[in-house]
Each structure stands twice: as structure tokens, then as C-alpha cells.
Amino acid sequence: SSGINAEYGGAEHGAKPFIHGKVMGWAMDGFKIFSYQDVGGATPIVDECGGHFGPTDTGEIEYHYHSRAIVPYHLACQGPSLSNCNNTQHGTNYCHPGCGADVCVQPGTDEGALREYLDQWDPTWLDKYTTNNYKESNFKAIKRLFKELIEAL
């Protein structure tokens, strides 16, 4: 194996800048856990549990989790949270602030592909809950979330 990680005795995981993170495990609910980056190296816009709907490293749309730079580093609950993460906590609340909606979808996700994925279980599921504005670009979403964070301080 080659690469800087191999030179120092570490594993080479194939992570690269500006691409979706790689699978690092599976949650008990069967959904994949990916490293931090989203498509294009964007920050993942996740729900209270740490997951969202969107394309993965294969381009397929699915619900999945991302590791985070803050506690909890992986999962706070089993998602999608549907704004109920706090109800699943007993004691310390590790819920992430989330995207501000019941269902979080990574900005730029194709709505048709998302609905096709969800149709496997319930064709009306997405319409039953609020969603973040995933139809805006990643840049606009990050800019908006940053502005909201500054205003909250």
C-alpha cells in the first residue's frame, strides 16, 4: 500500500478532497455511516441524529449518516429523526441542531431520484413532513446556515 498513511503505519482509506466521504461503518438500523465530507467536499446538512437523504460516494440516493467534528461524532439517535431525537434521549441530550426541518436532504439532491428511493416504502412519505430547502445549491445552503448561526449568536 502507498500513500502518506501507509508511510506512517496507518491504513489507506481512499479519502480524497472534494468527493463524498467513504463508508466507515453501518449503524444498528442498517444505514451506512460515512466520513465527514459530502458530494463535492461540501459540509453534510444533517438531521438531529446525524443523517440525511442524498447521494453517496456511488451516486445513489439513500438515507445515511456522516461523522461530525462535534459530539456526538457519529450518531445521536436512529434516523431519520423527524424532529423527535430529543424524545429518544434519556439523560444527556446529544441531538444535533439539525437542518431545521423534519427531514434533511443534502442540497442539490435530485428530487425525482429521492422520490424514487422513498417510493420503495411509501410514495407519499416525503409529503408528510417538512424538508429543508434542498433544491438550493450547496453554496447557498451553507451561506444561509452561516447567516442563521451568526444571527442566533
Side-chain angles (χ1 to χ4, degrees):
S1 179
S2 63
I4 194 161
N5 288 338
E7 290 175 30
Y8 293 99
E12 188 69 42
H13 297 289
K16 295 180 181 158
F18 309 113
I19 64 168
H20 193 283
K22 298 296 181 187
V23 173
M24 42 187 287
W26 283 264
M28 295 296 289
D29 59 12
F31 293 120
K32 297 173 191 164
I33 304 170
F34 287 85
S35 55
Y36 184 71
Q37 290 185 156
D38 209 279
V39 173
T43 300
I45 308 298
V46 296
D47 61 24
E48 298 167 309
C49 296
H52 68 180
F53 290 93
T56 64
D57 59 339
T58 64
E60 293 180 60
I61 307 289
E62 60 185 57
Y63 184 81
H64 58 281
Y65 302 103
H66 281 276
S67 63
R68 293 176 275 179
I70 59 172
V71 172
Y73 300 107
H74 298 102
L75 296 117
C77 57
Q78 292 185 339
S81 69
L82 305 177
S83 299
N84 288 315
C85 179
N86 191 34
N87 298 335
T88 69
Q89 303 295 312
H90 301 287
T92 304
N93 182 344
Y94 287 112
C95 299
H96 188 271
C99 69
D102 295 330
V103 176
C104 298
V105 181
Q106 185 66 19
T109 299
D110 179 74
E111 183 177 9
L114 174 61
R115 288 189 179 276
E116 185 177 325
Y117 169 74
L118 293 169
D119 282 354
Q120 299 175 76
W121 299 283
D122 180 354
T124 65
W125 188 84
L126 192 61
D127 301 318
K128 296 175 185 177
Y129 302 100
T130 62
T131 61
N132 59 310
N133 185 7
Y134 65 93
K135 297 173 187 173
E136 67 185 345
S137 71
N138 285 332
F139 177 76
K140 286 181 181 179
I142 292 167
K143 185 177 174 182
R144 179 182 48 76
L145 289 170
F146 184 74
K147 182 180 176 185
E148 290 172 6
L149 178 66
I150 295 299
E151 290 173 355
L153 297 175

